[in-house]
């Protein structure tokens, strides 16, 4: 081992190396992930990042978590690049016919500079990052960038960075193609994502065995990682939202929350397939007794026979949370949220009632016929699953309206093939209100 690692390993034997991918605005996810790691008291003493992951790594190496939280809660695109005021609205880039004069000025500036002016990012890094403090901290730090003067990638640990050049290396790693290209030792550099957007290999080559990877599905080259011989926790955004330059405030808040929840799930603090549920063993036990009365002592076998859960969840120790997860998915409940059992049950019953009322209020069968036509086109490959925009439970109820003929079996099979969670919902929903009354919950 070389450099700082010889100090880190014996002093922090249980610490992790944190690897953060690039991803532009989606990097707000990293901040939510770090908040979860702090709550979990997970020790981290090494940071390796690319692009926005390099910037956040530097902040974390210096202990600037509060500052990161503040930036995450307020940042807009004007904090990344220098834009005419007329093109910025609520932190987002806005281009339309009424702003064409500003667009022309902005385009002229790009042509003159041969790059987009990212001085706000430079100012942020130079204002917040203290190279001497990071070097003195004993924390390991590395970034990835690409030397376009020599057309060579550079994967650089802090002890190999020239004194006084740490901030330039951070900026070089985050120089998205088309942005200003930092110069280091006379060589121009761009975003390391053109070579390796997720620098896991750097952690392995350094000798780290305990590694946490946070991947936000950013643009760039994502090399296959080999976790053999390591204790690696891989955290990836479970919902693909936002974009590298999407600074919509609601989207950024969702990304930060999602980073927190995905990390909590990766460390077993919440459960669920698509949702995030706080495990409640008392409710699980009560639900088991409830099922035993309904189906007899072999209720588990009965549920497996009915195939109401996907294969990956059929042999879970618990049954209630997988059924709740499937039902929430069939009803399209908000996914970026942490649920307690009572809260999730109440939300399921409430949304189910709303859908039932909507179905009952339909004036005729036109919507049902429209759905069946769309389902046929999906089945034949002429449409995609995305064209079925409402919840699976809605369509299932629509097919089974009491005042209409029985549903066509092919359409029903299409619906279940695309939405396997529907079977779990149809198993649980008839029983849920009765179970909630037993638990003393309002419905």
């Amino acid at each position: 081992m070389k450099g700082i690692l010889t100090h880190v390993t014996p002093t922090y034997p249980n610490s992790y190396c944190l690897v953060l991918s690039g991803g532009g605005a989606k990097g707000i996810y990293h901040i939510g992930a770090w908040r979860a790691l702090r709550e979990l008291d997970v020790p981290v003493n090494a940071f390796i990042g690319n692009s926005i992951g390099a910037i956040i790594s530097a902040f974390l190496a210096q202990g600037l978590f509060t500052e990161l939280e503040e930036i995450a809660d307020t940042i807009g695109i004007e904090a990344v690049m220098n834009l005419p005021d007329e093109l910025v609205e609520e932190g987002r880039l806005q281009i339309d016919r009424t702003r064409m004069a500003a667009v022309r000025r902005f385009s002229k500036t790009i042509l003159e500079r041969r790059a987009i002016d990212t001085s706000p990012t430079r100012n942020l890094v130079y204002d917040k990052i203290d190279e001497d403090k990071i070097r003195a901290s004993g924390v390991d730090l590395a970034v990835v960038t690409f030397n376009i003067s020599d057309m060579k990638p550079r994967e650089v640990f802090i002890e190999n960075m020239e004194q006084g050049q740490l901030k330039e290396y951070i900026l070089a790693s985050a120089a998205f193609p088309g942005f200003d290209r930092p110069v280091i030792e006379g060589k121009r550099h761009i975003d390391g994502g053109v070579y390796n957007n997720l620098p896991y290999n750097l952690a392995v080559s350094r000798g780290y065995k305990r590694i946490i990877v946070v991947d936000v599905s950013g643009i760039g080259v994502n090399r296959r990682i080999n976790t053999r011989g390591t204790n690696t926790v891989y955290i990836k955004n479970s919902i693909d939202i936002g974009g590298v330059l999407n600074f919509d405030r609601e989207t950024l808040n969702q990304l930060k929350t999602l980073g927190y929840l995905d990390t909590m799930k990766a460390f077993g603090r919440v459960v669920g397939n698509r949702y995030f549920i706080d495990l409640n063993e008392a409710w699980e036990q009560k639900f088991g007794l409830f099922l035993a009365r309904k189906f007899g002592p072999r209720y588990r076998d009965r549920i497996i026979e009915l195939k109401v859960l996907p294969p990956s969840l059929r042999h879970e120790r618990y049954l209630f949370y997988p059924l709740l997860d499937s039902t929430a998915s069939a009803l399209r409940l908000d996914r970026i949220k942490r649920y307690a059992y009572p809260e999730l049950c109440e939300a399921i019953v409430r949304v189910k009632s709303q859908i039932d009322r909507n179905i009952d209020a339909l004036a005729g069968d036109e919507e049902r016929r429209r759905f069946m036509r769309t389902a046929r086109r999906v089945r034949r490959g002429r449409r995609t699953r995305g064209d079925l925009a409402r919840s699976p439970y809605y369509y299932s109820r629509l097919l089974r309206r009491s005042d209409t003929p029985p549903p066509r079996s092919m359409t029903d099979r299409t619906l279940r093939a695309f939405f396997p969670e529907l079977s779990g919902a149809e198993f649980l929903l008839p029983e849920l209100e009765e179970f909630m009354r037993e638990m003393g919950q309002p419905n």
Side-chain angles (χ1 to χ4, degrees), residues 67-130:
E67 288 80 355
L68 268 182
E69 286 272 21
E70 292 172 354
I71 292 169
D73 291 340
T74 60
I75 194 169
I77 197 167
E78 74 279 5
V80 176
M81 61 181 71
N82 197 2
L83 291 166
D85 292 341
E86 301 94 316
L87 297 184
V88 180
E89 187 175 303
E90 297 182 351
R92 292 173 290 175
L93 178 64
Q94 296 289 343
I95 297 178
D96 56 46
R97 292 181 180 180
T98 66
R99 309 172 202 255
M100 294 313 296
V103 171
R104 285 191 288 271
R105 290 201 310 274
F106 182 48
S107 301
K108 182 179 179 182
T109 301
I110 295 173
L111 290 173
E112 290 172 350
R113 294 175 57 88
R114 297 184 180 180
I116 296 174
D117 180 3
T118 54
S119 54
T121 303
R122 173 172 289 275
N123 293 339
L124 174 67
V125 170
Y126 267 79
D127 180 53
K128 297 294 185 181
I129 298 302
D130 188 318

Side-chain angles (χ1 to χ4, degrees), residues 23-24 42 56 68 91 131 176 264 286 306 331 380 406:
V42 175
I56 292 175
L68 268 182
E131 178 174 338
F176 195 76
M264 283 294 189
K286 292 280 189 181
L306 293 172
L331 295 171
R380 295 167 183 169

Side-chain angles (χ1 to χ4, degrees), residues 250-265:
E250 182 179 356
T251 301
L252 295 181
N253 291 341
Q254 288 180 327
L255 278 164
K256 190 169 77 163
T257 302
L258 185 62
Y260 174 85
L261 292 172
D262 281 338
T263 303
M264 283 294 189
K265 184 180 287 186

Side-chain angles (χ1 to χ4, degrees), residues 283 287 290 293-294 320 324 327 331 341-342 344-357 393 397 425-443:
W283 277 61
F287 187 67
F290 177 81
R293 291 201 308 273
K294 291 277 183 177
F320 197 22
L324 287 172
T327 305
L331 295 171
Y341 278 57
L344 184 52
C345 289
E346 290 170 15
I348 286 171
V349 170
R350 182 176 64 253
V351 173
K352 173 190 179 295
S353 298
Q354 291 171 352
I355 293 174
D356 289 344
R357 286 195 297 271
Y393 176 73
R397 280 282 284 112
E426 292 183 338
F427 174 85
L428 180 65
L429 286 172
E431 318 290 346
L432 186 57
E433 292 190 48
E434 180 183 347
F435 176 71
M436 288 178 66
R437 285 193 293 271
E438 288 192 9
M439 296 296 290
Q441 297 295 314
N443 52 60

